[in-house]
Amino acid sequence: MGHCLSWTKSTSSVFSYYFGSDGTVYVPGSNAFVKSLYGTEDYIVYHAKHFGDTGYNRELRMQKFMWDALGNPVFGHPLPASVSMQLPSGEPRSISN
């Protein structure tokens, strides 16, 4: 990523529960950061839930994030599973099993 050497802990959540017209994402957590294959995009990989129950009904998710002028990550909100995203740069345009 290379945008900043260290981060300061925020006083509030920077990536949390989302409820919107496009869907809901519960308790995103346990994240990691990766670059696209071409190294031109940054992604957050995390787990989230479709439902607000107390079970461990989680799935792995990934979405692109940006950087602000001060070198801080700007995550936006966790995207619901129904939202389409472009493949990371360098990934083949078709994926087969």
Side-chain angles (χ1 to χ4, degrees), residues 52-70:
D53 60 7
T54 58
Y56 194 79
N57 181 17
R58 298 178 184 184
E59 63 187 12
L60 187 63
R61 296 188 181 187
M62 180 177 100
Q63 69 187 64
K64 185 176 177 179
F65 70 92
M66 307 303 279
W67 298 90
D68 69 15
L70 298 175

Side-chain angles (χ1 to χ4, degrees), residues 19-40:
F19 176 77
S21 61
D22 53 353
T24 302
V25 180
Y26 294 93
V27 295
S30 299
N31 67 57
F33 303 103
V34 297
K35 284 203 162 286
S36 62
L37 185 62
Y38 287 163
T40 58

